């Protein structure tokens, strides 16, 4: 017992030391937010950009860096693929301790909350509001900040993600986004006119029951992300999940335990499975031949993963036509769907010119319609601007959306049609732990074989909150 206590104390000391190093030993804490905006367009300045782009997307980025440099030839943009999103976070977390972080990075809200333990991220409010004029190399001018028209052109849910950190300040601009959508076997639904494509969870339950009657060997619904499912239900019910201020972990409440108990009944009836329970993305079940056992007729997954939902045979033919619609709602008149995908943050630097150059580049990427359109067509992610269809090529491409080879475009159309429904969760240092824990909680509760189900669910919630609080301490 003494050995265990000593080990625990040593572990706590090591964690506290690590956090102290991260928060206190950062040379860039001497660099505050840039508040003076006299950008020098003559003196060369180099900025670095960390992202996760593959070769095709890097080609698009390079093309538009050339366009950016026609306006600002004194700004050299060096960009680097750093693995996946978590790899970007971990590398920057390390680099911040020695003041060697990049100027710009792909980020998710919880990444920014982590970086802000060291107060390393530049707030954008003053930059956005700046009315200073910058003269570009071609003789034209632009307002350094965002015009009201540019702000209004952002999809609100995407833009507002940048200020979900509890202090009301803006830390990010959206780069490219995705959400969850409901993929369904349109051929199957057309062949069974009594089946209704669901708009609410009650309708989804009825549809699952009817599908189970038609095809008892099937699992009507696959849901890829247990965490998204839980968090979205909190949002749709208006039930507490987390808070960026005060007490952080609020999800252990009667409403949330209630919907989890209901979904456990769905699982026991064979209506639904999830990614972790089935052992892989449920698109693999959705795209199976409907004659095979264990196939799904509906799948809730990422809009950016549409190409994985295309049910092709080995000879290139299609097993069935796919339909896409918004995910079910508690109240179809007040829809809520999750906003995901990377944003861009800018890091503080002692050299204010690096910050201003970074801002100009971020502004260029996020407000240029042609870049957003081409990046979206290449990535499968949704552009962040409402007027993206002003790009003629993009508008023409959307005309070819269909339930076969044009499924990614069909997914994008659905996303653009629900721009008023997007939400983001509060971001703080520990919000990613909450996400992980509610995902695990869903798995445990759906599959529990305890005789006292209510007690098992309550215990799972309490354990999840306790783990969140432990990780936060």
């Amino acid at each position: 017992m003494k050995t265990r206590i000593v080990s625990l104390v040593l572990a706590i000391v090591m964690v506290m030391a690590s956090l102290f190093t991260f928060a206190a030993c950062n040379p860039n804490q001497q660099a505050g937010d840039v508040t003076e905006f006299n950008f020098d367009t003559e003196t060369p300045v180099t900025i670095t950009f960390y992202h996760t782009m593959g070769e095709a997307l890097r080609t698009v980025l390079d093309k538009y860096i050339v366009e950016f440099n026609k306006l600002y030839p004194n700004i050299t943009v060096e960009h680097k693929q750093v693995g996946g999103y978590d790899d970007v976070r971990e590398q920057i977390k390390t680099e911040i301790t020695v003041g060697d972080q990049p100027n710009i990075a792909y980020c998710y809200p919880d990444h920014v909350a982590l970086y802000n333990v060291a107060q390393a991220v530049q707030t954008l409010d003053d930059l956005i509001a700046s009315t200073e004029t910058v003269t570009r190399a071609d003789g034209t001018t632009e307002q350094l900040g965002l015009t009201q028209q540019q702000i209004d052109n952002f999809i609100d849910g995407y833009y507002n993600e940048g200020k979900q950190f509890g202090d009301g300040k803006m830390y990010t601009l959206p780069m490219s986004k995705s959400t969850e959508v409901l993929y369904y076997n349109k051929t199957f639904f057309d062949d069974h006119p009594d089946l209704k494509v669901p708009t609410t969870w009650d309708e989804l339950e009825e549809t699952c029951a009817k599908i189970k009657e038609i095809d008892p060997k099937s699992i009507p619904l696959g849901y890829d992300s247990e965490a998204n499912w839980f968090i979205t239900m909190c949002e749709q019910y208006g039930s507490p999940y987390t808070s960026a201020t005060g007490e952080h972990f609020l999800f252990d409440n009667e409403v949330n335990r209630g919907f989890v108990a209901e979904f456990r009944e769905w699982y026991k009836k064979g209506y639904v499975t999830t990614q972790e329970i089935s052992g892989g993305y449920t698109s693999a079940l959705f795209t199976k031949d409907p004659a095979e056992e264990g196939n799904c007729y509906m799948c809730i997954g990422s809009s950016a993963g549409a190409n994985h939902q295309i049910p092709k045979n080995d000879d290139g033919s299609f097993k069935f036509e796919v339909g896409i619609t918004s995910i079910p709602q508690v109240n179809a008149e007040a829809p809520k769907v999750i906003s995901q995908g990377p944003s861009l943050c800018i890091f503080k630097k002692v050299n204010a010119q690096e910050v201003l150059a970074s801002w100009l580049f971020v502004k260029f990427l996020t407000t240029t319609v042609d870049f957003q359109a081409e990046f979206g067509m290449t990535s499968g992610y949704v552009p962040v601007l409402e007027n993206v269809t002003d790009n003629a090529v993009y508008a023409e491409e959307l005309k070819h959306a269909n339930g076969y080879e044009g499924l990614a475009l069909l997914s994008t159309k659905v996303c653009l049609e629900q721009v008023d429904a997007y939400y983001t969760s509060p971001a703080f240092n520990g919000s990613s732990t909450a996400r992980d824990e509610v995902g695990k909680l869903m798995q445990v509760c759906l599959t529990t074989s305890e005789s006292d189900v209510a007690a098992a669910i309550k215990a799972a919630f309490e354990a999840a909150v306790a783990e969140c609080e432990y990780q936060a301490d």
Side-chain angles (χ1 to χ4, degrees), residues 10-285:
L10 286 172
I12 292 172
V13 169
M14 290 175 67
V15 170
M16 291 179 67
S18 174
L19 287 173
F20 176 80
T21 299
F22 181 58
C25 299
N26 172 23
N28 283 293
Q29 282 191 324
Q30 299 173 9
D33 287 329
V34 170
T35 56
E36 294 187 8
F37 307 125
N38 298 314
F39 182 62
D40 179 359
T41 58
E42 300 296 328
T43 303
V45 58
T46 298
I47 57 176
T48 56
F49 173 24
Y50 284 3
H51 55 71
T52 65
M53 299 178 202
E55 183 177 357
L57 288 176
R58 292 198 303 271
T59 299
V60 176
L61 180 63
D62 285 334
K63 172 182 173 180
Y64 282 88
I65 288 175
V66 171
E67 295 302 310
F68 177 72
N69 283 146
K70 291 177 182 178
L71 304 176
Y72 298 102
N74 67 312
I75 301 175
T76 298
V77 180
E78 296 178 349
H79 63 92
K80 177 181 178 183
Q81 179 189 17
V82 186
Y85 296 121
D86 289 346
D87 298 309
V88 172
R89 178 195 65 202
E90 291 305 303
Q91 182 160 333
I92 293 175
K93 182 178 76 171
T94 299
E95 292 177 348
I96 283 174
T97 65
V98 293
D100 196 33
Q101 69 268 20
N103 297 93
I104 304 166
Y106 264 13
C107 61
Y108 271 74
D110 59 292
H111 300 179
V112 176
L114 175 64
Y115 305 150
N116 271 341
V117 172
Q119 300 177 8
V121 181
Q122 168 78 33
T123 55
L124 303 180
D125 303 81
D126 290 340
L127 287 162
I128 290 170
S130 174
T131 57
E132 295 292 325
T133 298
V134 182
T135 301
R136 301 179 290 202
D138 62 359
T140 61
T141 61
E142 70 170 304
Q143 179 176 303
L144 180 68
L146 297 178
T147 66
Q148 191 60 50
Q149 183 178 12
Q150 287 172 323
I151 293 173
D152 293 343
N153 194 31
F154 281 105
I155 292 171
D156 287 344
Y158 298 158
Y159 183 79
N160 290 333
E161 180 182 298
K163 45 188 174 183
Q164 296 297 312
F165 299 90
D167 59 4
K169 296 180 180 179
M170 193 81 167
Y171 288 91
T172 67
L173 285 184
M175 173 68 172
S176 60
K177 294 297 176 180
S178 63
T179 188
E180 289 185 322
V181 293
L182 173 65
Y183 301 90
Y184 62 96
N185 184 328
K186 187 174 185 300
T187 301
F188 181 78
F189 274 72
D190 288 346
D191 289 343
H192 298 84
D194 58 326
L195 289 178
K196 180 180 181 179
V197 178
T199 60
T200 67
W201 296 102
D202 289 341
E203 291 175 356
L204 179 61
E205 183 179 17
E206 294 173 6
T207 298
C208 287
K210 289 180 180 178
I211 291 175
K212 202 69 176 172
E213 291 175 2
I214 297 168
D215 185 0
K217 64 178 175 49
S218 71
I219 304 171
L221 173 68
Y223 206 128
D224 272 341
S225 173
E226 296 92 339
N228 281 358
W229 196 4
F230 185 97
I231 297 166
T232 295
M233 295 307 299
C234 292
E235 190 72 20
Q236 290 188 6
Y237 272 112
S239 174
Y241 165 54
T242 57
S243 172
T245 59
E247 184 180 350
H248 289 312
F249 310 108
L250 308 174
F251 55 81
D252 183 9
N253 58 69
E254 185 176 354
V255 171
N256 298 351
R257 291 193 297 271
F259 68 68
V260 169
E262 180 181 359
F263 292 143
R264 178 189 177 275
E265 291 301 310
W266 290 19
Y267 176 74
K268 292 301 178 184
K269 292 176 182 178
Y271 291 174
V272 65
T273 190
T274 67
Q275 178 184 342
E276 293 299 325
I277 292 172
S278 67
Y281 286 108
T282 59
S283 56
L285 306 179

Side-chain angles (χ1 to χ4, degrees), residues 295-371:
N295 69 296
C296 291
Y297 288 100
M298 297 178 289
C299 176
I300 294 177
S302 172
S303 60
N307 284 331
H308 297 291
Q309 306 283 357
I310 299 175
K312 271 193 174 184
N313 292 305
D314 292 338
D315 63 2
S317 62
F318 296 91
K319 299 169 187 174
F320 53 86
E321 181 182 0
V322 179
I324 306 179
T325 189
S326 298
I327 66 168
Q329 301 290 323
V330 170
N331 177 5
E333 299 303 314
K336 297 290 184 182
V337 292
I338 197 167
S339 170
Q340 296 185 298
S343 292
L344 299 175
C345 66
I346 297 171
F347 291 94
K348 295 178 183 178
K349 293 288 183 177
V350 173
N351 181 357
Q353 293 299 301
E354 290 184 35
V355 176
L356 294 174
S358 299
W359 164 253
L360 287 169
F361 186 60
V362 166
K363 177 187 173 185
F364 177 81
L365 294 182
T366 58
T367 63
T368 301
V369 172
D370 289 347
F371 170 76

Side-chain angles (χ1 to χ4, degrees), residues 437-468:
E437 289 305 313
V438 298
K440 294 174 186 176
L441 179 156
M442 286 287 281
Q443 298 169 46
V444 169
C445 293
L446 291 180
T447 60
T448 183
S449 58
E450 296 290 334
S451 56
D452 190 340
V453 174
I457 290 175
K458 191 172 190 307
F461 271 79
E462 290 172 351
V465 171
E467 182 63 23
C468 289

